Amino acid sequence: MALSNELKALDITMGTPAFKLQHLVGQGRIRLLSSNYELYGDMSQRVQAVLGEFSAGVEPYSIDEMFVRFDGFEPGQLLEHARQLHHKVRQYTGIPVCVGVAPTRTLAKLANRAAKKIPAYDGVCVLRAESVETRALLRRFELGDLWGVGRRLVERLAVLGIRTGWDLAQADPRRIRRQFGVTLERTALELRGTPCIEMNDADEARQRIMTSRSFGKLTDNLGEIREAIRQHGQRGAEKLRSQGSLARAVLVFLKTNPFRNDLPQYSPSLAVELPRPTDDSREILCAAGHALQRIYRKGYRYQKGGVMLLDLIDADRQQLSLLDTPQSAAERQRSQSLMTTMDELNRRMGRGTVKLGTPSPGAAWHLRCASRTNRYSTRWEELPAALAK
């Protein structure tokens, strides 16, 4: 999932199955570490808090990448401001980052890549739209290194003689739109310095909510899989309530390990429509349970399972049925009160304090974390002393 420079030097690529690297582990040449999503999320929030001191316009793009608006700064101030940001993040969190500054998001991504790959930048690169420096970088990096340009697009663009970012920036935007669509046209315009891409509002409600995770080991035990689906369903319902939405349908899926050619393969999914739009964990888990019962098949060892909440609507704008009665309205009120109480207790006492069903300790579906380092905690007092200072 993530590679150090030492692993990259061994030509190990992203997504390589761990079992294919065990000979290198045995030789002591590499070390594989377990994921720690709680710590990743906690550190991401800390980085965002530091960025918030430099600008009110912080737009998270992923758990390890954020856009920061520098509106109002004089061009001559940008480099020093970016260097301060670069230093403060490292000082306050211990995380090395790279900072790329440019008039558009696509060029900012290019500047960030240059700051990461070219030592002379020392982690900070500031680009102007039509500078000689920007032109040189667009010619230096491959087309596939640009944000939003995938492998298939690279192949199709090569047929037209477009092989670098500079070639794309100089191409006729109207022709690009006709042949490849508006998304690539915007990329081409952004490479010229024309802002065309806006990020989704961080507060905008998601249109679907997915909760899934690989099991700690392959399992064919229906009871264990049911526990995993129940946990994913509850977490999805919590996210649903936190953004003020209701779900109209629930999708459940299972997957076997595609790399195990010695085992039979089966990757089913099923969507179940809910009787009414809801954010009640009980109703969502009931639907997920019915879906799992219908797609589960004996004889397969499953690697992953998950729950997706679909067809979301705003809880404040739901369409009530003409057949509603005072009893159904009272039931909705009781449901809302119960879910609010559960969420409040979990917020105050810690996630999982109140839940529906008790997961079996050591079950196969629990994520394996046997290879974590000694510094895996999210607790500040357990971080290295150098960071605490």
Side-chain angles (χ1 to χ4, degrees):
M1 294 184 64
L3 306 174
S4 66
N5 290 331
E6 292 80 5
L7 263 70
K8 293 176 182 177
L10 296 174
D11 292 328
I12 297 173
T13 58
M14 189 76 75
T16 301
F19 73 86
K20 293 186 177 180
L21 304 175
Q22 291 305 315
H23 65 289
L24 296 176
V25 175
Q27 295 169 9
R29 299 177 61 189
I30 69 172
R31 184 178 178 188
L32 303 181
L33 299 176
S34 299
S35 301
N36 188 345
Y37 299 104
E38 293 82 0
L39 180 60
Y40 302 159
D42 181 75
M43 296 307 297
S44 179
Q45 291 174 6
R46 296 184 189 186
V47 171
Q48 184 173 346
V50 176
L51 300 183
E53 297 180 4
F54 286 79
S55 170
V58 180
E59 303 171 352
Y61 178 61
S62 66
I63 196 170
D64 64 347
E65 194 168 6
M66 300 179 192
F67 288 103
V68 182
R69 301 190 68 93
F70 279 175
D71 302 294
F73 284 90
E74 295 294 330
Q77 298 176 316
L78 287 177
L79 180 58
E80 180 59 29
H81 199 62
R83 284 175 175 167
Q84 289 181 16
L85 186 151
H86 178 264
H87 171 72
K88 291 297 184 182
V89 171
R90 183 63 180 267
Q91 179 184 4
Y92 293 155
T93 69
I95 296 177
V97 296
C98 293
V99 180
V101 182
T104 70
R105 286 172 172 78
T106 304
L107 282 178
K109 292 275 288 186
L110 175 69
N112 184 275
R113 188 171 186 84
K116 180 178 181 180
K117 297 294 184 181
I118 302 175
Y121 284 114
D122 196 25
V124 178
C125 175
V126 178
L127 297 179
R128 289 182 290 111
E130 298 180 355
S131 66
V132 174
E133 182 182 11
T134 301
R135 183 183 307 176
L137 289 175
L138 285 172
R139 286 173 171 165
R140 171 171 179 167
F141 286 105
E142 297 179 2
L143 195 57
D145 291 331
L146 297 178
W147 186 36
V149 182
R151 178 178 57 82
R152 293 184 179 179
L153 271 179
V154 170
E155 296 171 353
R156 294 174 60 194
L157 289 167
V159 175
L160 302 179
I162 300 176
R163 294 182 172 83
T164 68
W166 179 250
D167 294 334
L168 182 57
Q170 297 305 302
D172 181 358
R174 291 171 297 182
R175 182 187 181 191
I176 294 295
R177 179 168 186 163
R178 284 197 305 270
Q179 296 189 241
F180 301 96
V182 67
T183 300
L184 191 62
E185 178 196 25
R186 290 173 179 168
T187 297
L189 289 171
E190 288 234 333
L191 293 176
R192 296 183 178 188
T194 303
C196 298
I197 299 174
E198 289 294 331
M199 301 301 297
N200 292 328
D201 189 338
D203 296 325
E204 183 180 346
R206 286 169 287 184
Q207 299 304 304
R208 59 182 62 185
I209 294 176
M210 163 77 84
T211 311
S212 70
R213 187 167 290 179
S214 295
F215 302 144
K217 60 183 179 181
L218 299 181
T219 181
D220 59 357
N221 186 297
L222 177 59
E224 292 180 338
I225 296 173
R226 185 181 290 114
E227 286 186 5
I229 295 301
R230 185 167 62 231
Q231 297 304 308
H232 295 325
Q234 289 188 75
R235 182 63 186 134
E238 291 172 0
K239 295 179 181 179
L240 188 69
R241 292 191 292 271
S242 70
Q243 72 171 34
S245 297
L246 304 175
R248 288 173 170 165
V250 177
L251 181 143
V252 174
F253 71 88
L254 298 173
K255 289 185 178 180
T256 52
N257 189 341
F259 296 104
R260 292 292 301 271
N261 296 324
D262 58 319
L263 296 176
Q265 299 296 312
Y266 177 53
S267 298
S269 65
L270 179 66
V272 175
E273 184 177 359
L274 293 163
R276 63 182 180 87
T278 185
D279 61 6
D280 191 313
S281 297
R282 298 168 299 174
E283 297 179 36
I284 290 171
L285 295 188
C286 181
H290 287 310
L292 174 63
Q293 197 69 42
R294 291 171 61 183
I295 64 175
Y296 172 80
R297 296 288 183 273
K298 293 182 179 180
Y300 297 95
R301 301 185 68 188
Y302 299 98
Q303 179 195 35
K304 185 176 184 179
V307 174
M308 182 183 295
L309 305 182
L310 303 171
D311 200 7
L312 308 188
I313 61 172
D314 190 332
D316 295 329
R317 300 179 182 178
Q318 63 172 310
Q319 182 71 43
L320 300 179
S321 171
L322 293 175
L323 301 179
D324 265 9
T325 64
Q327 290 76 16
S328 59
E331 177 58 33
R332 282 197 303 272
Q333 184 60 45
R334 285 194 294 269
S335 169
Q336 182 178 357
S337 298
L338 176 60
M339 294 300 109
T340 299
T341 302
M342 286 179 56
D343 292 341
E344 178 63 18
L345 287 171
N346 286 327
R347 185 187 66 80
R348 293 173 55 186
M349 308 299 293
R351 183 186 299 171
T353 300
V354 180
K355 52 186 176 290
L356 303 177
T358 302
S360 303
W365 64 269
H366 286 288
L367 184 68
R368 285 188 302 176
C369 300
S371 299
R372 285 183 174 176
T373 68
N374 293 329
R375 297 295 189 182
Y376 64 82
S377 176
T378 61
R379 296 174 59 186
W380 178 255
E381 62 270 20
E382 295 182 10
L383 291 174
L387 293 187
K389 294 179 182 178

